[in-house]
Amino acid sequence: DTGVSQDPRHKITKRGQNVTFRCDPISEHNRLYWYRQTLGQGPEFLTYFQNEAQLEKSRLLSDRFSAERPKGSFSTLEIQRTEQGDSAMYLCASSLVVGSEYPTDTQYFGPGTRLTVL
Amino acid sequence: AQSVSQHNHHVILSEAASLELGCNYSYGGTVNLFWYVQYPGQHLQLLLKYFSGDPLVKGIKGFEAEFIKSKFSFNLRKPSVQWSDTAEYFCAVRNQAGTALIFGKGTTLSVSS
């Protein structure tokens, strides 16, 4: 399977613990996005990377959230001191952007990591 | 702020019925529009997209959508639904910065055989 993969698929944790999720994008894609989806809502954008550079992070929900893409390949999303309100599906997407004008890339989504905070 | 509205929260149809799901977006400039589908237990998949050109776009599985700029709409249609079309459907628009997608809340489609 050459699609976007995410690990783990499910994570149950206790309030106050730290969690880290991994995303492996489609191999030739240079952009990687993180979204969060709660019940009854569409995905909500959190942050994105172009290669290893994090170009937008103002939508991260709080300073407890951080993301990295150290070598421009896989990415991790960490949530520190989890709260019950962090329970959601965390989605990763990737795309290939060519050129510097308004992009016309298509984002391909992974299966998501479902986080439950007890 | 940009937003996407999907008018129907839950649609119930019988097989062979025609489908139209509404989607309106708020931004009036250059738009990239998408419909994604999420089948039960599966991840989001692209159904179709509009970037420019012919406002009637065709996607996979017999779906099509029409971009009407004057109405800020991008409605999804299928002439005859099947039981296998049971899924959640999301309309999305790319944000003004050209980076993130802004999604609607989704429409759950239930098709009975």
Side-chain angles (χ1 to χ4, degrees):
Chain A
D1 191 329
T2 57
V4 178
S5 61
Q6 293 186 245
D7 184 68
R9 296 290 302 277
H10 303 272
K11 178 70 177 179
I12 300 174
T13 192
K14 293 183 179 179
R15 187 165 49 94
Q17 298 294 305
N18 298 343
V19 294
T20 300
F21 310 140
R22 176 178 170 127
C23 170
D24 286 89
I26 294 171
S27 60
E28 67 269 23
H29 285 184
N30 52 6
R31 278 203 182 173
L32 187 148
Y33 307 81
W34 285 100
Y35 290 81
R36 185 180 81 150
Q37 186 177 15
T38 54
L39 200 61
Q41 303 293 320
E44 174 190 9
F45 171 70
L46 297 178
T47 187
Y48 89 99
F49 295 83
Q50 176 123 351
N51 301 311
E52 66 275 8
Q54 190 174 14
L55 298 183
E56 172 60 68
K57 57 181 179 180
S58 65
R59 304 307 298 268
L60 284 169
L61 300 162
S62 78
D63 58 7
R64 298 184 296 106
F65 287 71
S66 62
E68 293 183 342
R69 194 183 184 196
K71 295 182 179 179
S73 56
F74 73 92
S75 175
T76 58
L77 177 69
E78 181 182 17
I79 309 174
Q80 295 182 328
R81 306 180 303 281
T82 53
E83 302 172 357
Q84 287 185 326
D86 296 333
S87 295
M89 178 76 85
Y90 290 85
L91 298 171
C92 176
S94 72
S95 71
L96 177 64
V97 173
V98 177
S100 58
E101 296 182 4
Y102 190 81
T104 55
D105 58 305
T106 297
Q107 295 182 23
Y108 295 89
F109 284 81
T113 294
R114 182 171 295 283
L115 173 66
T116 302
V117 182
L118 303 176
Chain B
Q2 284 180 275
S3 64
V4 174
S5 297
Q6 293 185 241
H7 316 299
N8 316 100
H9 181 63
H10 193 182
V11 173
I12 301 172
L13 295 173
S14 299
E15 273 195 324
S18 63
L19 170 72
E20 181 160 3
L21 301 183
C23 172
N24 286 90
Y25 61 93
S26 63
Y27 176 58
T30 301
V31 286
N32 289 176
L33 294 157
F34 305 82
W35 276 97
Y36 282 86
V37 61
Q38 189 165 26
Y39 298 104
Q42 297 187 28
H43 60 277
L44 277 168
Q45 300 172 39
L46 181 70
L47 260 184
L48 48 78
K49 61 188 178 185
Y50 172 80
F51 290 163
S52 64
D54 188 344
L56 184 62
V57 291
K58 295 191 183 300
I60 60 171
K61 304 187 180 186
F63 286 90
E64 65 179 30
E66 185 175 14
F67 168 58
I68 303 179
K69 188 173 182 178
S70 61
K71 295 185 178 180
F72 297 89
S73 71
F74 190 55
N75 292 354
L76 181 71
R77 300 195 291 247
K78 186 172 184 179
S80 176
V81 295
Q82 300 174 312
W83 177 82
S84 58
D85 292 325
T86 295
E88 191 155 17
Y89 293 81
F90 293 94
C91 180
V93 63
R94 197 189 306 277
N95 66 359
Q96 287 178 252
T99 53
L101 296 181
I102 299 169
F103 284 85
K105 291 187 176 183
T107 297
T108 301
L109 172 65
S110 299
V111 180
S112 59
S113 57

